[in-house]
Amino acid sequence: MSTNRQFKLAQRPVGTPTRDNWSYETSPVAEPGDGEFLVRVRYLSLDPAMRGWMNEGKSYVPPVGIGEVMRAGAVGEVVASRHDGFAVGDTVSGLFGVQDYAISNGRGVNKVDPKAAPLPLYLGTLGMPGMTAYFGLLEVGKCQDGETVVVSGAAGAVGSVVGQIAKIKGCRVVGIAGGAEKCRYVVDELGFDACIDYKTGDVKAGLKQHCPDGIDVYFDNVGGDILDAVLTRLAMHARIVICGAISQYNNTTPVKGPSNYMSLLVNRASMTGMVVFDWAARYGEAVTQMAQWLQSGQLKSREHVVEGLQNFPETLLMLFNGENFGKLVLEIDEPN
Amino acid sequence: MSTNRQFKLAQRPVGTPTRDNWSYETSPVAEPGDGEFLVRVRYLSLDPAMRGWMNEGKSYVPPVGIGEVMRAGAVGEVVASRHDGFAVGDTVSGLFGVQDYAISNGRGVNKVDPKAAPLPLYLGTLGMPGMTAYFGLLEVGKCQDGETVVVSGAAGAVGSVVGQIAKIKGCRVVGIAGGAEKCRYVVDELGFDACIDYKTGDVKAGLKQHCPDGIDVYFDNVGGDILDAVLTRLAMHARIVICGAISQYNNTTPVKGPSNYMSLLVNRASMTGMVVFDWAARYGEAVTQMAQWLQSGQLKSREHVVEGLQNFPETLLMLFNGENFGKLVLEIDEPN
């Protein structure tokens, strides 16, 4: 009989999460009850949103409770089943949590084809980040042929897809990313028109240079000073998609609101928040389209795979330090 | 021959405008050239937006230049004309500026009927503030029957009309205003469902009490802490109309951005800027509708009239101190 290793939330973090916020526990693997199945987790998705789930208070999903297994998207294999819809050997994606084995009743679980794409892709371009990019850019940002699209976190799981879809749709695309290597990747490999390195460059000046007609759509993953810089360069009727604000998630001081928000008035612009779950009924449409683009080579995907469940706490922090390059995924090592 | 008294912008203010920012000058009244007419100004509109026009830099209209007559909406009478479309005796509204007499070529000037309504009404409910309320609430805020609408500056020229139109449209309406007298007026005379006195009350607690199902539309005239408080109480898919931010106009420190803007994400909400000029082609439709509502008593209007061109600098400041009650208008005394 196997052991299930789990990371549970022990304390709510103040600022950057530490090891003390987690309790690492082992227990025997549970048996699925009637209408349930058991998943052996293979890859965990590490997402900036996870930091928000660790906080108390009302948000778009309930917080992870103290003592609960940390919520995380994952792909894995069904290894035991008493559920009519899922059989042993099925490959599935769902919110299985930071553990080796998860019991599921099938809600929110999708079968994926392990032959059609490498498993980590189902956590990236063909998973939540890809869905977020697709619906956020097309349905909230409503980018049009010939417009200028700016995206922050441009080398990340969401941003890299946003920029590539915008290129496919005929937009001029300017990324914002941290470091020369990421910027080179975004321009040379993904085909963005330009990329501004926020670590060494002046973002405002870069936007002025690369967006001479202003910014029509800004897809914001970071918030903070970069959002404020973008606000100074909006085109008339610009749309800002608020997808995330990673620069603010570990704040111990109040969030920095966008001081230049009155640019929304001057430019008759809008700022709209999005949560990908609202488009769940249309994921199929997006996955089909994205898979086609991946196959034709119009869309490229990059995963940053770290191995070992034990490395979860430190690996999660890579997101906030900008250390990941592409979709950050934790590969679960063989449990015992 | 008459004298024209004028207030010109002498310096750009830092913070609250002072007398030194203005130069008061007198000159002989000019003669209209071919295609022009001369207006004797009767009432000047004093608007929060004027503070923005005094600043340097790009905005939705060019700044008033140093040495130029201060821009202001006004109503007056045509007293001399060499323009085919405007005859002596016509009553007109337009941006005639802070002076006794203005030369106009007719651009942006509308004839008004002095028998249909008192002249100051053409600077308030039947003028820019009324148009701003009408199109901002209905076209940007898109309020629907049964929704909860919150408006700041509720006793002001724009806010009082926003709230009344929202009531006509079947919404629950909560105002935010400064002082018990304004709050009483808004509830007892204008028919708002509730009003929160931001000077003595806790705005967050008031919103919680009066908007139990959250806020569907927030019409923002003030920005600052009140905008932040509203953000904590949004309903799903809420719309925030950014019309102004009077709390921030005299800042000498950077504008306070809305720290709670991530509530837009949690609630899939939007924040959209508006400038009334974009609806100029549809003013006629709004004036007709508003005049009907005024006549039927569904819409009430209140003007705060101060007399004397000389009092312009101090009267303008009443807006920022919250001293006006209803639409603030400067009545021009008989020049010499």
Side-chain angles (χ1 to χ4, degrees), chain A residues 125 160-161 164-165 168 290 293-294 296-301:
Chain A
T125 303
S160 62
V161 180
Q164 291 179 88
I165 298 177
I168 290 169
M290 307 272 268
W293 285 332
L294 282 164
S296 68
Q298 287 175 282
L299 191 58
K300 288 177 188 165
S301 186

Side-chain angles (χ1 to χ4, degrees), chain B residues 151-180:
Chain B
V151 57
S152 51
V158 174
S160 62
V161 179
V162 166
Q164 291 180 87
I165 297 176
K167 283 306 295 178
I168 290 169
K169 296 294 181 183
C171 299
R172 173 174 179 75
V173 178
V174 177
I176 304 173

